[in-house]
Amino acid sequence: MQWQHTHSDISTQCMHGSSTDRMHDFSSNRITEMDPDAPNRQRHSINPRDARNDEISLKFIWNALRCANYASLMDCIHSGKQTWRGAAMRFPLLESGLVSHSLDHSSTLSSSDDLESLFLYIYSIHRMLNNPSTRISSFEQSIYGILSGHTRSAVTSCHTHLDHLWANAWCNLLCCLMTLRIAQYKESVQSQNASPSPFSHFSANSNAATLSPIIDYVWAHVFRESQKSLEDLLKIPQSVLQTDPSCAPFYVIQCKLILAEYDELLHYLNEFVNENSEEQSSSTSTRLSYPEYANFLRFATFLSLHMHERNVLPQTPDTRLVVDNIILKYIHHLHSVHQYNHIALYTSKLSEQNQVLAFARLLASIDDDHLKQELMTQARSYQLDLRSITNHVINLHTPLNPLPLASSRAAQASATHHFDKKINLISWLQYDTDHALEQLKYVNSLAREIICAKEFLFLGKLMNRVPAGIDQQLLQSSSYDPAFVEPLCEEYKCWQVLSLAIEQYKAWSLHFARRPQESSRADCGDDTTLHGRLEAENQRQLFERATTQWRNSLELLAQSAYEEMRHFPVSFIQFSRQYAAKVPDPHQLAAVYSRAVPYIVFLMVEVQERSGYFAECLKISHYVASEEHSLYKAFSKENLSKFLNLMSRVEQQQLSIVGQ
């Protein structure tokens, strides 16, 4: 029984009458009727024990309402036999639409009378709570404030900032739901071609309601007050700005999350991150210290990713760009503090285009080969486009300006730096075996560039960086079209032949410079004595043997170099004729031909002439002039004149030897 001790007191009062002084004293501070409104109507109280039990029950109901445990809330009311209180709480919960699925599936807003009744309920609660003479506990005041959207009463039992936020957000949500319910009812009436309802002129977004004086009052004094109360609560306290400005952005974030202003929140995060980034000046008043900025940047990254993946943000290119900007700032921060474990993960959250750009820039700034390998492994595990990334890294290292062709010392140093850097870039294409085709294309392109710049000595460095058998690997692979792979492999073989010919020439040139030197008389001692003559004879024999060995080796090296150099023009011409239509840049190939063929011919002449094979050297003129390969077409006027002068000099030397 509700208020059983009060009921017992009233029964005792009725049994003994009210003529005695004791009964008179009793009746002066106890209610004499058992209805729920008796304490307010009679201005008397219930039994203290019932008051304590009531306070405990109301506190439980408040906590259940705070936790959204509506089933326990109703069980507590029914077990306390407070049916009137259950009805008073059940009606607004159901008719407002807040918890209709939790309590009763059958309760719907089916008529204008139901809506009018709900507003009348809210109006009555508001008037009761605003009446100074109302005798009501703080918990009950908060409960009815929550149910009616009366914010000022709802926060009576709130002690923490989160409790205040919940109460304000609940009241604001009730206002939004009521607006929606009225709009839905108007649509249903219009769709059914029903007669005009009392709400036909009502605008939920207008301050001037025309439903009735009651609804007009509720809208102006309850719901508008709830919205203003929430906005005031969400403002940044001045005390926070003065004592701990670093907390200010979190108040703004909290406000926009509660108000569901997700797009504005994202732009606020982006602006705040840009203002506090390392590149910006420290003029802003909300600038954070570096540790605070790092923590906020991490939080902003997680929050923006969460909102994007939950599809609460507009799906527009501008929104995607803002999300990417925040993630890129965090990736840059992780790189600056050398935390690379999760960079590939965050890169995978970017748009596809920014994935390639961001990860390529990161790799291009790292010199540690072990770290590069680790990051490439991470990128593979998160399914990043490694082929596009490595190609972009190479493009980042490739200068936009063409290499100067001047012959000064500074230009030579620039060329050395240029080609050494580009040759080292091959390592980016060797982290993954799937990049063999890209690697071969890059090698061929760089070889043509080296030859056009007439920096032939770099060709050997380039070929030494390429894994052996890469062309055979591609030809035997079923993953590539043979019609596309074969021209690349044949071109690569031409550069291999040219590189080998240059290496043979370098070996011959090095051996030629090591010609034995005959000992002077001072080294042999006094040749007037027997010992001196013997020493001189011994030195002469050693010199002759060394010279013979040197000449034999020189002959072998000259012959080997000559054969390798003679093989290059033939192989290159065959490649040009067979795959001319499949070459990516025919003009560059023609430039390569006009530089490589004269260069290799002049090397052949030098080897034969300095080795003393004048007759063989003269045969080179027939080799160049032959129409079989038409090598003379690769010579410019200057080169052809130089070649003819060499042949004339060799012929004179040959005639001189014959004459002797």
Side-chain angles (χ1 to χ4, degrees), residues 296-333:
F296 181 85
L297 182 58
R298 181 173 62 252
F299 172 75
T301 303
F302 293 164
L303 183 57
S304 59
L305 278 174
H306 176 75
M307 292 190 297
H308 176 70
E309 293 176 353
R310 293 288 298 240
N311 294 322
V312 298
L313 296 172
Q315 300 298 314
T316 62
D318 291 341
T319 301
R320 177 76 256 197
L321 188 63
V322 174
V323 174
D324 283 1
N325 180 66
I326 296 175
I327 300 174
L328 287 170
K329 292 285 186 183
Y330 189 52
I331 291 175
H332 176 72
H333 163 70

mmCIF file of all heavy atoms in Angstrom, residues 296-333:
data_model
loop_
_atom_site.group_PDB
_atom_site.id
_atom_site.type_symbol
_atom_site.label_atom_id
_atom_site.label_comp_id
_atom_site.label_asym_id
_atom_site.label_seq_id
_atom_site.Cartn_x
_atom_site.Cartn_y
_atom_site.Cartn_z
ATOM 1 N N PHE A 296 45.992 16.320 -29.053
ATOM 2 C CA PHE A 296 44.793 16.794 -29.742
ATOM 3 C C PHE A 296 44.772 16.293 -31.188
ATOM 4 O O PHE A 296 43.712 15.919 -31.705
ATOM 5 C CB PHE A 296 44.740 18.320 -29.723
ATOM 6 C CG PHE A 296 43.518 18.880 -30.388
ATOM 7 C CD1 PHE A 296 42.339 19.014 -29.683
ATOM 8 C CD2 PHE A 296 43.540 19.250 -31.731
ATOM 9 C CE1 PHE A 296 41.198 19.517 -30.297
ATOM 10 C CE2 PHE A 296 42.407 19.743 -32.350
ATOM 11 C CZ PHE A 296 41.233 19.886 -31.627
ATOM 12 N N LEU A 297 45.907 16.289 -31.848
ATOM 13 C CA LEU A 297 45.970 15.824 -33.238
ATOM 14 C C LEU A 297 45.584 14.355 -33.335
ATOM 15 O O LEU A 297 44.862 13.951 -34.261
ATOM 16 C CB LEU A 297 47.374 16.052 -33.793
ATOM 17 C CG LEU A 297 47.603 15.653 -35.250
ATOM 18 C CD1 LEU A 297 46.641 16.401 -36.169
ATOM 19 C CD2 LEU A 297 49.045 15.938 -35.652
ATOM 20 N N ARG A 298 46.058 13.547 -32.408
ATOM 21 C CA ARG A 298 45.667 12.136 -32.402
ATOM 22 C C ARG A 298 44.155 11.988 -32.189
ATOM 23 O O ARG A 298 43.485 11.209 -32.882
ATOM 24 C CB ARG A 298 46.438 11.392 -31.306
ATOM 25 C CG ARG A 298 46.095 9.900 -31.244
ATOM 26 C CD ARG A 298 46.984 9.148 -30.282
ATOM 27 N NE ARG A 298 46.845 9.624 -28.917
ATOM 28 C CZ ARG A 298 47.765 10.329 -28.269
ATOM 29 N NH1 ARG A 298 48.900 10.648 -28.870
ATOM 30 N NH2 ARG A 298 47.577 10.729 -27.033
ATOM 31 N N PHE A 299 43.622 12.754 -31.230
ATOM 32 C CA PHE A 299 42.185 12.701 -30.964
ATOM 33 C C PHE A 299 41.389 13.173 -32.184
ATOM 34 O O PHE A 299 40.385 12.558 -32.558
ATOM 35 C CB PHE A 299 41.864 13.578 -29.747
ATOM 36 C CG PHE A 299 40.393 13.743 -29.492
ATOM 37 C CD1 PHE A 299 39.657 12.720 -28.935
ATOM 38 C CD2 PHE A 299 39.745 14.925 -29.818
ATOM 39 C CE1 PHE A 299 38.301 12.863 -28.692
ATOM 40 C CE2 PHE A 299 38.390 15.083 -29.591
ATOM 41 C CZ PHE A 299 37.661 14.047 -29.023
ATOM 42 N N ALA A 300 41.828 14.265 -32.814
ATOM 43 C CA ALA A 300 41.130 14.778 -33.996
ATOM 44 C C ALA A 300 41.156 13.762 -35.135
ATOM 45 O O ALA A 300 40.171 13.607 -35.874
ATOM 46 C CB ALA A 300 41.766 16.091 -34.444
ATOM 47 N N THR A 301 42.266 13.049 -35.284
ATOM 48 C CA THR A 301 42.368 12.026 -36.336
ATOM 49 C C THR A 301 41.386 10.891 -36.083
ATOM 50 O O THR A 301 40.649 10.465 -36.986
ATOM 51 C CB THR A 301 43.798 11.475 -36.397
ATOM 52 O OG1 THR A 301 44.720 12.550 -36.626
ATOM 53 C CG2 THR A 301 43.940 10.450 -37.509
ATOM 54 N N PHE A 302 41.356 10.399 -34.842
ATOM 55 C CA PHE A 302 40.433 9.307 -34.516
ATOM 56 C C PHE A 302 38.981 9.745 -34.698
ATOM 57 O O PHE A 302 38.152 8.993 -35.238
ATOM 58 C CB PHE A 302 40.649 8.846 -33.072
ATOM 59 C CG PHE A 302 41.983 8.187 -32.844
ATOM 60 C CD1 PHE A 302 42.480 8.003 -31.564
ATOM 61 C CD2 PHE A 302 42.751 7.757 -33.897
ATOM 62 C CE1 PHE A 302 43.706 7.398 -31.344
ATOM 63 C CE2 PHE A 302 43.987 7.160 -33.701
ATOM 64 C CZ PHE A 302 44.454 6.971 -32.423
ATOM 65 N N LEU A 303 38.661 10.951 -34.235
ATOM 66 C CA LEU A 303 37.279 11.425 -34.308
ATOM 67 C C LEU A 303 36.840 11.634 -35.750
ATOM 68 O O LEU A 303 35.728 11.239 -36.133
ATOM 69 C CB LEU A 303 37.139 12.721 -33.511
ATOM 70 C CG LEU A 303 35.736 13.323 -33.429
ATOM 71 C CD1 LEU A 303 34.757 12.319 -32.842
ATOM 72 C CD2 LEU A 303 35.752 14.598 -32.600
ATOM 73 N N SER A 304 37.680 12.248 -36.567
ATOM 74 C CA SER A 304 37.308 12.476 -37.965
ATOM 75 C C SER A 304 37.162 11.161 -38.727
ATOM 76 O O SER A 304 36.246 11.005 -39.543
ATOM 77 C CB SER A 304 38.343 13.372 -38.647
ATOM 78 O OG SER A 304 39.633 12.794 -38.593
ATOM 79 N N LEU A 305 38.052 10.202 -38.445
ATOM 80 C CA LEU A 305 37.926 8.885 -39.087
ATOM 81 C C LEU A 305 36.646 8.184 -38.655
ATOM 82 O O LEU A 305 35.956 7.561 -39.465
ATOM 83 C CB LEU A 305 39.140 8.020 -38.737
ATOM 84 C CG LEU A 305 40.406 8.247 -39.570
ATOM 85 C CD1 LEU A 305 41.556 7.429 -39.018
ATOM 86 C CD2 LEU A 305 40.160 7.905 -41.021
ATOM 87 N N HIS A 306 36.324 8.284 -37.363
ATOM 88 C CA HIS A 306 35.102 7.646 -36.862
ATOM 89 C C HIS A 306 33.875 8.259 -37.533
ATOM 90 O O HIS A 306 32.972 7.525 -37.979
ATOM 91 C CB HIS A 306 35.019 7.818 -35.346
ATOM 92 C CG HIS A 306 33.749 7.277 -34.750
ATOM 93 N ND1 HIS A 306 33.531 5.922 -34.587
ATOM 94 C CD2 HIS A 306 32.635 7.909 -34.291
ATOM 95 C CE1 HIS A 306 32.334 5.736 -34.050
ATOM 96 N NE2 HIS A 306 31.775 6.929 -33.862
ATOM 97 N N MET A 307 33.810 9.573 -37.617
ATOM 98 C CA MET A 307 32.653 10.211 -38.242
ATOM 99 C C MET A 307 32.576 9.866 -39.723
ATOM 100 O O MET A 307 31.478 9.658 -40.260
ATOM 101 C CB MET A 307 32.734 11.728 -38.055
ATOM 102 C CG MET A 307 32.555 12.185 -36.619
ATOM 103 S SD MET A 307 32.358 13.982 -36.473
ATOM 104 C CE MET A 307 33.943 14.565 -37.080
ATOM 105 N N HIS A 308 33.718 9.789 -40.380
ATOM 106 C CA HIS A 308 33.713 9.459 -41.807
ATOM 107 C C HIS A 308 33.268 8.021 -42.044
ATOM 108 O O HIS A 308 32.458 7.761 -42.952
ATOM 109 C CB HIS A 308 35.108 9.682 -42.383
ATOM 110 C CG HIS A 308 35.233 9.294 -43.817
ATOM 111 N ND1 HIS A 308 34.640 9.990 -44.847
ATOM 112 C CD2 HIS A 308 35.886 8.252 -44.408
ATOM 113 C CE1 HIS A 308 34.913 9.412 -45.995
ATOM 114 N NE2 HIS A 308 35.667 8.363 -45.760
ATOM 115 N N GLU A 309 33.759 7.104 -41.247
ATOM 116 C CA GLU A 309 33.425 5.690 -41.454
ATOM 117 C C GLU A 309 32.001 5.372 -41.023
ATOM 118 O O GLU A 309 31.421 4.396 -41.491
ATOM 119 C CB GLU A 309 34.426 4.815 -40.701
ATOM 120 C CG GLU A 309 35.839 4.893 -41.283
ATOM 121 C CD GLU A 309 36.851 4.099 -40.492
ATOM 122 O OE1 GLU A 309 36.474 3.589 -39.406
ATOM 123 O OE2 GLU A 309 38.012 4.006 -40.934
ATOM 124 N N ARG A 310 31.431 6.187 -40.123
ATOM 125 C CA ARG A 310 30.036 5.994 -39.718
ATOM 126 C C ARG A 310 29.057 6.721 -40.642
ATOM 127 O O ARG A 310 27.850 6.690 -40.429
ATOM 128 C CB ARG A 310 29.846 6.512 -38.290
ATOM 129 C CG ARG A 310 30.589 5.713 -37.238
ATOM 130 C CD ARG A 310 29.937 4.369 -37.042
ATOM 131 N NE ARG A 310 28.580 4.487 -36.571
ATOM 132 C CZ ARG A 310 28.141 3.989 -35.436
ATOM 133 N NH1 ARG A 310 28.966 3.345 -34.651
ATOM 134 N NH2 ARG A 310 26.877 4.117 -35.092
ATOM 135 N N ASN A 311 29.585 7.377 -41.671
ATOM 136 C CA ASN A 311 28.770 8.057 -42.680
ATOM 137 C C ASN A 311 27.864 9.132 -42.085
ATOM 138 O O ASN A 311 26.726 9.326 -42.537
ATOM 139 C CB ASN A 311 27.915 7.045 -43.461
ATOM 140 C CG ASN A 311 28.736 6.100 -44.297
ATOM 141 O OD1 ASN A 311 29.744 6.498 -44.878
ATOM 142 N ND2 ASN A 311 28.349 4.845 -44.352
ATOM 143 N N VAL A 312 28.355 9.832 -41.066
ATOM 144 C CA VAL A 312 27.586 10.946 -40.514
ATOM 145 C C VAL A 312 28.014 12.263 -41.143
ATOM 146 O O VAL A 312 27.431 13.307 -40.841
ATOM 147 C CB VAL A 312 27.744 11.016 -38.976
ATOM 148 C CG1 VAL A 312 27.217 9.767 -38.334
ATOM 149 C CG2 VAL A 312 29.195 11.270 -38.581
ATOM 150 N N LEU A 313 29.024 12.224 -41.998
ATOM 151 C CA LEU A 313 29.499 13.425 -42.682
ATOM 152 C C LEU A 313 28.986 13.448 -44.117
ATOM 153 O O LEU A 313 28.739 12.392 -44.705
ATOM 154 C CB LEU A 313 31.030 13.463 -42.694
ATOM 155 C CG LEU A 313 31.727 13.563 -41.346
ATOM 156 C CD1 LEU A 313 33.232 13.385 -41.524
ATOM 157 C CD2 LEU A 313 31.435 14.899 -40.677
ATOM 158 N N PRO A 314 28.837 14.618 -44.704
ATOM 159 C CA PRO A 314 28.426 14.681 -46.121
ATOM 160 C C PRO A 314 29.462 13.994 -47.007
ATOM 161 O O PRO A 314 30.659 14.208 -46.864
ATOM 162 C CB PRO A 314 28.366 16.190 -46.399
ATOM 163 C CG PRO A 314 28.241 16.841 -45.066
ATOM 164 C CD PRO A 314 28.963 15.956 -44.092
ATOM 165 N N GLN A 315 28.987 13.175 -47.914
ATOM 166 C CA GLN A 315 29.879 12.434 -48.806
ATOM 167 C C GLN A 315 30.218 13.306 -50.020
ATOM 168 O O GLN A 315 29.744 13.085 -51.129
ATOM 169 C CB GLN A 315 29.226 11.128 -49.230
ATOM 170 C CG GLN A 315 28.883 10.202 -48.083
ATOM 171 C CD GLN A 315 30.121 9.774 -47.311
ATOM 172 O OE1 GLN A 315 31.135 9.392 -47.893
ATOM 173 N NE2 GLN A 315 30.047 9.830 -45.993
ATOM 174 N N THR A 316 31.059 14.318 -49.769
ATOM 175 C CA THR A 316 31.456 15.248 -50.823
ATOM 176 C C THR A 316 32.976 15.265 -50.936
ATOM 177 O O THR A 316 33.680 14.932 -49.981
ATOM 178 C CB THR A 316 30.950 16.668 -50.519
ATOM 179 O OG1 THR A 316 31.554 17.129 -49.292
ATOM 180 C CG2 THR A 316 29.432 16.677 -50.372
ATOM 181 N N PRO A 317 33.503 15.676 -52.093
ATOM 182 C CA PRO A 317 34.970 15.762 -52.227
ATOM 183 C C PRO A 317 35.607 16.717 -51.226
ATOM 184 O O PRO A 317 36.716 16.468 -50.743
ATOM 185 C CB PRO A 317 35.157 16.264 -53.673
ATOM 186 C CG PRO A 317 33.915 15.850 -54.385
ATOM 187 C CD PRO A 317 32.815 15.946 -53.373
ATOM 188 N N ASP A 318 34.922 17.812 -50.898
ATOM 189 C CA ASP A 318 35.480 18.760 -49.931
ATOM 190 C C ASP A 318 35.623 18.124 -48.554
ATOM 191 O O ASP A 318 36.624 18.330 -47.860
ATOM 192 C CB ASP A 318 34.596 20.006 -49.844
ATOM 193 C CG ASP A 318 34.659 20.841 -51.111
ATOM 194 O OD1 ASP A 318 35.628 20.659 -51.879
ATOM 195 O OD2 ASP A 318 33.742 21.648 -51.342
ATOM 196 N N THR A 319 34.623 17.360 -48.147
ATOM 197 C CA THR A 319 34.692 16.672 -46.848
ATOM 198 C C THR A 319 35.826 15.659 -46.840
ATOM 199 O O THR A 319 36.586 15.570 -45.865
ATOM 200 C CB THR A 319 33.355 15.972 -46.557
ATOM 201 O OG1 THR A 319 32.313 16.944 -46.552
ATOM 202 C CG2 THR A 319 33.400 15.272 -45.211
ATOM 203 N N ARG A 320 35.968 14.909 -47.915
ATOM 204 C CA ARG A 320 37.054 13.930 -48.007
ATOM 205 C C ARG A 320 38.411 14.618 -47.945
ATOM 206 O O ARG A 320 39.362 14.103 -47.349
ATOM 207 C CB ARG A 320 36.896 13.169 -49.323
ATOM 208 C CG ARG A 320 37.975 12.153 -49.615
ATOM 209 C CD ARG A 320 37.810 10.902 -48.796
ATOM 210 N NE ARG A 320 38.730 10.823 -47.716
ATOM 211 C CZ ARG A 320 39.013 9.727 -47.051
ATOM 212 N NH1 ARG A 320 38.420 8.594 -47.359
ATOM 213 N NH2 ARG A 320 39.858 9.738 -46.055
ATOM 214 N N LEU A 321 38.502 15.802 -48.545
ATOM 215 C CA LEU A 321 39.746 16.556 -48.537
ATOM 216 C C LEU A 321 40.108 17.013 -47.121
ATOM 217 O O LEU A 321 41.277 16.960 -46.725
ATOM 218 C CB LEU A 321 39.620 17.766 -49.462
ATOM 219 C CG LEU A 321 40.897 18.572 -49.736
ATOM 220 C CD1 LEU A 321 41.911 17.699 -50.459
ATOM 221 C CD2 LEU A 321 40.582 19.801 -50.554
ATOM 222 N N VAL A 322 39.111 17.432 -46.350
ATOM 223 C CA VAL A 322 39.355 17.880 -44.974
ATOM 224 C C VAL A 322 39.799 16.710 -44.106
ATOM 225 O O VAL A 322 40.740 16.822 -43.310
ATOM 226 C CB VAL A 322 38.097 18.546 -44.402
ATOM 227 C CG1 VAL A 322 38.290 18.875 -42.921
ATOM 228 C CG2 VAL A 322 37.770 19.816 -45.164
ATOM 229 N N VAL A 323 39.135 15.568 -44.231
ATOM 230 C CA VAL A 323 39.520 14.377 -43.466
ATOM 231 C C VAL A 323 40.953 13.974 -43.804
ATOM 232 O O VAL A 323 41.762 13.670 -42.919
ATOM 233 C CB VAL A 323 38.540 13.218 -43.740
ATOM 234 C CG1 VAL A 323 39.025 11.938 -43.070
ATOM 235 C CG2 VAL A 323 37.144 13.564 -43.239
ATOM 236 N N ASP A 324 41.282 13.993 -45.093
ATOM 237 C CA ASP A 324 42.647 13.640 -45.509
ATOM 238 C C ASP A 324 43.672 14.610 -44.937
ATOM 239 O O ASP A 324 44.777 14.205 -44.553
ATOM 240 C CB ASP A 324 42.738 13.639 -47.039
ATOM 241 C CG ASP A 324 42.130 12.394 -47.651
ATOM 242 O OD1 ASP A 324 41.632 11.553 -46.879
ATOM 243 O OD2 ASP A 324 42.146 12.256 -48.883
ATOM 244 N N ASN A 325 43.317 15.886 -44.876
ATOM 245 C CA ASN A 325 44.261 16.875 -44.357
ATOM 246 C C ASN A 325 44.596 16.608 -42.894
ATOM 247 O O ASN A 325 45.755 16.696 -42.478
ATOM 248 C CB ASN A 325 43.682 18.275 -44.515
ATOM 249 C CG ASN A 325 44.618 19.348 -43.993
ATOM 250 O OD1 ASN A 325 45.697 19.571 -44.519
ATOM 251 N ND2 ASN A 325 44.220 20.015 -42.916
ATOM 252 N N ILE A 326 43.597 16.243 -42.095
ATOM 253 C CA ILE A 326 43.839 15.941 -40.684
ATOM 254 C C ILE A 326 44.715 14.701 -40.551
ATOM 255 O O ILE A 326 45.663 14.663 -39.751
ATOM 256 C CB ILE A 326 42.500 15.762 -39.943
ATOM 257 C CG1 ILE A 326 41.710 17.075 -39.955
ATOM 258 C CG2 ILE A 326 42.732 15.296 -38.509
ATOM 259 C CD1 ILE A 326 40.325 16.967 -39.365
ATOM 260 N N ILE A 327 44.422 13.669 -41.346
ATOM 261 C CA ILE A 327 45.217 12.433 -41.280
ATOM 262 C C ILE A 327 46.655 12.709 -41.731
ATOM 263 O O ILE A 327 47.616 12.190 -41.130
ATOM 264 C CB ILE A 327 44.575 11.339 -42.150
ATOM 265 C CG1 ILE A 327 43.157 11.027 -41.660
ATOM 266 C CG2 ILE A 327 45.411 10.068 -42.126
ATOM 267 C CD1 ILE A 327 42.396 10.064 -42.544
ATOM 268 N N LEU A 328 46.821 13.522 -42.764
ATOM 269 C CA LEU A 328 48.168 13.841 -43.249
ATOM 270 C C LEU A 328 48.966 14.589 -42.188
ATOM 271 O O LEU A 328 50.183 14.366 -42.043
ATOM 272 C CB LEU A 328 48.076 14.672 -44.521
ATOM 273 C CG LEU A 328 47.642 13.915 -45.789
ATOM 274 C CD1 LEU A 328 47.361 14.883 -46.925
ATOM 275 C CD2 LEU A 328 48.702 12.909 -46.207
ATOM 276 N N LYS A 329 48.317 15.476 -41.450
ATOM 277 C CA LYS A 329 49.001 16.174 -40.360
ATOM 278 C C LYS A 329 49.488 15.178 -39.310
ATOM 279 O O LYS A 329 50.601 15.296 -38.777
ATOM 280 C CB LYS A 329 48.057 17.187 -39.713
ATOM 281 C CG LYS A 329 47.684 18.364 -40.591
ATOM 282 C CD LYS A 329 48.829 19.352 -40.708
ATOM 283 C CE LYS A 329 48.406 20.594 -41.472
ATOM 284 N NZ LYS A 329 49.524 21.546 -41.652
ATOM 285 N N TYR A 330 48.664 14.185 -39.018
ATOM 286 C CA TYR A 330 49.060 13.196 -38.002
ATOM 287 C C TYR A 330 50.188 12.302 -38.519
ATOM 288 O O TYR A 330 51.100 11.942 -37.765
ATOM 289 C CB TYR A 330 47.843 12.352 -37.615
ATOM 290 C CG TYR A 330 48.093 11.461 -36.417
ATOM 291 C CD1 TYR A 330 48.609 11.987 -35.240
ATOM 292 C CD2 TYR A 330 47.831 10.098 -36.466
ATOM 293 C CE1 TYR A 330 48.846 11.179 -34.139
ATOM 294 C CE2 TYR A 330 48.060 9.290 -35.374
ATOM 295 C CZ TYR A 330 48.569 9.834 -34.214
ATOM 296 O OH TYR A 330 48.810 9.031 -33.131
ATOM 297 N N ILE A 331 50.151 11.944 -39.800
ATOM 298 C CA ILE A 331 51.235 11.149 -40.386
ATOM 299 C C ILE A 331 52.537 11.940 -40.333
ATOM 300 O O ILE A 331 53.600 11.388 -40.007
ATOM 301 C CB ILE A 331 50.876 10.758 -41.831
ATOM 302 C CG1 ILE A 331 49.717 9.757 -41.839
ATOM 303 C CG2 ILE A 331 52.082 10.171 -42.548
ATOM 304 C CD1 ILE A 331 49.213 9.418 -43.220
ATOM 305 N N HIS A 332 52.463 13.222 -40.640
ATOM 306 C CA HIS A 332 53.659 14.072 -40.561
ATOM 307 C C HIS A 332 54.192 14.135 -39.130
ATOM 308 O O HIS A 332 55.413 14.089 -38.906
ATOM 309 C CB HIS A 332 53.321 15.473 -41.060
ATOM 310 C CG HIS A 332 54.444 16.453 -40.930
ATOM 311 N ND1 HIS A 332 55.570 16.423 -41.721
ATOM 312 C CD2 HIS A 332 54.631 17.488 -40.071
ATOM 313 C CE1 HIS A 332 56.394 17.391 -41.373
ATOM 314 N NE2 HIS A 332 55.851 18.052 -40.364
ATOM 315 N N HIS A 333 53.287 14.201 -38.161
ATOM 316 C CA HIS A 333 53.721 14.217 -36.753
ATOM 317 C C HIS A 333 54.408 12.897 -36.380
ATOM 318 O O HIS A 333 55.458 12.901 -35.729
ATOM 319 C CB HIS A 333 52.508 14.455 -35.857
ATOM 320 C CG HIS A 333 52.738 14.109 -34.421
ATOM 321 N ND1 HIS A 333 53.564 14.859 -33.595
ATOM 322 C CD2 HIS A 333 52.277 13.077 -33.663
ATOM 323 C CE1 HIS A 333 53.581 14.306 -32.390
ATOM 324 N NE2 HIS A 333 52.816 13.231 -32.408
#
